[in-house]
Amino acid sequence: MNNFKPYYAVIFTSTRTEGDNGYNDMADLMETLAKKQNGFISIDSAKNEVGITVSYWESLQAIQHWKQQTDHALAQQKGIKDWYKWYNVRICKVEREYEFNK
C-alpha cells in the first residue's frame, strides 16, 4: 500500500545580476529560515547561468505563510532591487513521485 500524500513545489527560476552583493549570505539565511517554517518539507537547488530552486511544502497555506514571513519579504524586495535580472515562480501540486538510487 502506498502512503504517498500529495504536496506542493515552489519552483523559483532566475537569472542574476553581476556580483554577489550579499546574495549568498541571504540565500543561506533564507534556507535556514524556510526549514523552520511549519509545512516545510525540503529544498533542492542548482545554479549556473540560470538558477533553479525548488522548495517543497505540505500545503498552499504553508507557502503563503512563507511568502509573507518578514525576513523573506525583505529578501524578495532586495532581490528585485539588487540580485535578479529576471525570475519566475511556479507553484505546482505534486501528485506522484518516484526515484532511482544505486
Side-chain angles (χ1 to χ4, degrees):
M1 182 173 167
N2 185 352
N3 291 327
F4 180 81
K5 181 180 175 189
Y7 58 93
Y8 293 87
V10 177
I11 305 167
F12 181 80
T13 309
S14 64
T15 55
R16 291 275 322 279
T17 57
E18 294 297 320
D20 180 78
N21 301 314
Y23 175 83
N24 286 320
D25 288 341
M26 184 64 80
D28 290 344
L29 176 62
M30 290 301 101
E31 184 172 337
T32 298
L33 292 175
K35 288 177 178 177
K36 295 177 182 178
Q37 297 297 304
N38 287 334
F40 176 83
I41 298 171
S42 67
I43 191 167
D44 295 320
S45 187
K47 295 177 179 126
N48 283 318
E49 295 83 32
V50 174
I52 300 174
T53 299
V54 184
S55 59
Y56 306 95
W57 301 85
E58 293 175 358
S59 67
L60 291 173
Q61 183 179 25
I63 293 167
Q64 186 63 33
H65 285 146
W66 171 238
K67 181 169 178 49
Q68 295 172 345
Q69 196 273 355
T70 304
D71 293 317
H72 186 220
L74 291 172
Q76 291 170 62
Q77 291 170 7
K78 187 143 177 69
I80 290 168
K81 181 177 176 261
D82 296 330
W83 296 322
Y84 298 113
K85 292 181 189 176
W86 166 86
Y87 70 79
N88 179 274
V89 178
R90 296 172 181 94
I91 300 173
C92 310
K93 186 174 185 180
V94 178
E95 304 223 2
R96 185 171 68 117
E97 70 175 35
Y98 57 90
E99 68 181 319
F100 169 79
N101 189 1
K102 269 192 181 180

